[in-house]
Amino acid sequence: MKGLRLAIALSFLLAAAAAAQTPPPVVKPPEIPPFDGRQGYVVYPDTMDVPSHEEAAECVARALAQAVPAARVLPPERFRDAFYPWMEPATKPRNQPQQEEWLKRPLVQARAREIGLRYLVIVHGRHMETSIGVGHCGINPCPGRGIFTSHAEVSLSIWDIEARDLLGRAEAEAEEKGFEGVLVFIPINISPDTAAPVCAEAAAAAAKAMAAGTPR
Amino acid sequence: MKQHVLLLAAVVALLSACGPVKRSISLKVTPSMPPAPLYEPFPLRAAFSCPPELRDHRSIGTEQSRLADGTLELMSYDLDFGNFHCRLFGRVLRSVFASVEATEAAPAGDIDVVLQPAVEKASYGGGVEIRYALTLAEPGGRVIATVRGGAPTPAYKPEERLFDLAVRDAVAELLLRLEKDEDLAAWLAARSITWGTRAAS
């Protein structure tokens, strides 16, 4: 009986510790000088076969839309269709020289002008969760998971299509603790949204780069 | 003896439990057409005749794959594409050559190249895989170049879009390989046919 009380007390302490380390993230829209809203941008995943890149691209796109609500945004599917066959998983430029070469193509430049696209933001993302308990157990919340660490990182490359140039790169990462388990028969799931502040930080950097434009 | 029989039965049961999960599927497949390619057309007059095997194309086979939970899956598939590949190439190739004449018979006189598409693979199981080949030949039959394109489309993509994505990826890769093909470039150069302003600034 004494052991059970001790276990319950310890569980409460662990949950409280996890909760204390994971305050709900407050995502403030960053202060960014507005860039020319007529010149649109697209946020595109680095690799479409990697779900973490696609999720990160969606997350950055949301943050960027919040940061610069006036700018024109081209949905990634429309961008992919407009530049078919160049942006498919098997054909997308893999590195900076290939990207530069692609941007030099007259057809690419003409199409970008036609659809009012100036900037291309390519997103590479990673989100990992590690726990000392079991990783996943098919039940939500998983009783045996305990305290876990959520790590999110996002890196962007921001291209000026018209200038055929890399405007800059931005990186952001964060790590927070969460808790998932059952305490005194009450299921508890404290999962931090680690990705949102990371995306907001990266999006702010991208928006600043686009606002500054390419030095001529 | 009884113990041996029981042991043997247990081993057989264990082995069968470890074996692959067998599934079969029969589908009528009509993927979406990929967008018109953003492509600098080759300055060539082409003739395109869809081969009979693609006019009513059916792909039957078995594909082995490992599921997310580690189970081995043996998928028997029967994919009925109907006339899809003919419609696909008929449409895509119009953006790739200056002119494309669809012909059932032998190409007429004013033709530079004859286009012969083929489906090298169309499979289902642990995702979808479509592989195309396109052969360019002189009207006399001499092969100029053959290019290929295609890769497996991962199973995590939405099921209803797997074939759409596999087709558009295979065609995209084929078109880019055609652009970079050295045999075709040499053939064009030998005829003083200039093509390619892609790197001009």
Side-chain angles (χ1 to χ4, degrees):
Chain A
M1 191 62 190
K2 197 177 172 185
L4 180 65
R5 273 193 219 137
L6 188 67
I8 292 170
L10 190 63
S11 301
F12 268 115
L13 277 173
L14 285 171
Q21 285 175 49
T22 56
V26 180
V27 184
K28 283 185 194 167
E31 288 174 20
I32 293 152
F35 60 91
D36 189 342
R38 290 167 302 174
Q39 297 177 321
Y41 70 87
V42 63
V43 181
Y44 205 66
D46 186 30
T47 312
M48 277 162 293
D49 283 346
V50 181
S52 65
H53 292 193
E54 292 181 335
E55 285 161 15
E58 285 168 17
C59 176
V60 169
R62 278 195 301 272
L64 204 47
Q66 197 182 358
V68 274
R72 281 189 65 246
V73 190
L74 193 72
E77 299 78 24
R78 219 188 124 204
F79 170 73
R80 188 177 171 181
D81 282 354
F83 290 94
Y84 185 78
W86 302 99
M87 284 289 151
E88 304 304 300
T91 58
K92 196 185 156 295
R94 302 267 176 237
N95 49 43
Q96 190 171 338
Q98 282 184 14
Q99 186 72 41
E100 285 168 356
E101 194 200 333
W102 182 72
L103 289 175
K104 283 179 190 165
R105 289 170 179 262
L107 281 176
V108 170
Q109 286 294 320
R111 179 58 56 89
R113 278 194 298 276
E114 185 190 320
I115 60 174
L117 181 67
R118 173 79 186 267
Y119 301 106
L120 167 62
V121 180
I122 295 176
V123 182
H124 183 109
R126 204 156 69 115
H127 189 197
M128 290 182 303
E129 287 187 350
T130 50
S131 64
I132 47 167
V134 294
H136 297 282
C137 55
I139 312 165
N140 192 16
C142 179
R145 198 163 178 219
I147 296 174
F148 63 90
T149 305
S150 170
H151 180 94
E153 55 188 58
V154 161
S155 60
L156 313 177
S157 52
I158 306 116
W159 291 86
D160 185 334
I161 295 174
E162 189 184 298
R164 307 166 176 88
D165 201 9
L166 179 68
L167 278 179
R169 295 184 192 278
E171 284 178 6
E173 62 180 310
E175 196 167 278
E176 290 185 81
K177 297 269 189 248
F179 178 81
E180 194 174 332
V182 176
L183 293 175
V184 204
F185 308 110
I186 302 166
I188 293 179
N189 188 353
I190 306 164
S191 294
D193 188 0
T194 322
V198 171
C199 293
E201 195 183 327
K208 276 179 186 156
M210 290 191 278
T214 308
R216 304 277 158 87
Chain B
M1 183 64 187
K2 193 179 173 187
Q3 278 177 336
H4 287 151
V5 171
L6 281 173
L7 187 66
L8 187 66
V11 168
V12 169
L14 269 174
L15 285 174
S16 60
C18 295
V21 176
K22 289 180 183 171
R23 287 176 62 203
S24 65
I25 194 161
S26 181
L27 287 173
K28 190 163 175 58
V29 189
T30 313
S32 301
M33 285 285 166
L38 185 66
Y39 204 84
E40 187 186 341
F42 289 96
L44 298 172
R45 292 158 301 184
F48 164 65
S49 172
C50 201
E53 63 270 22
L54 293 195
R55 285 179 204 159
D56 189 12
H57 184 248
R58 209 163 159 191
S59 181
I60 298 168
T62 305
E63 197 72 19
Q64 184 175 293
S65 64
R66 192 152 306 266
L67 302 175
D69 63 1
T71 316
L72 205 60
E73 184 190 66
L74 208 59
M75 174 71 83
S76 298
Y77 58 85
D78 179 352
L79 309 173
D80 179 2
F81 286 90
N83 194 32
F84 171 76
H85 302 300
C86 288
R87 288 191 293 115
L88 171 76
F89 281 104
R91 185 174 149 152
V92 167
L93 293 173
R94 263 183 257 144
S95 303
V96 177
F97 295 90
S99 72
V100 177
E101 180 193 320
T103 173
E104 292 283 315
D110 290 342
I111 291 295
D112 300 310
V113 289
V114 178
L115 309 172
Q116 299 158 349
V119 179
E120 296 202 318
K121 187 170 184 181
S123 68
Y124 184 97
V128 166
E129 185 170 354
I130 292 182
R131 290 186 183 275
Y132 289 126
L134 180 67
T135 297
L136 282 75
E138 292 177 349
R142 183 181 159 260
V143 171
I144 301 164
T146 298
V147 289
R148 294 182 163 80
T153 296
Y156 81 84
K157 296 283 184 185
E159 181 87 7
E160 67 277 9
R161 291 206 63 213
L162 277 176
F163 284 98
D164 296 355
L165 296 170
V167 165
R168 67 182 281 159
D169 210 23
V171 171
E173 199 176 9
L174 185 100
L175 295 182
L176 263 62
R177 287 196 176 161
L178 183 66
E179 195 202 63
K180 290 174 186 157
D181 190 82
E182 290 180 3
D183 293 334
L184 178 59
W187 187 87
L188 290 169
R191 280 149 191 81
S192 305
I193 299 171
T194 51
W195 173 85
T197 54
R198 64 184 185 276
S201 39

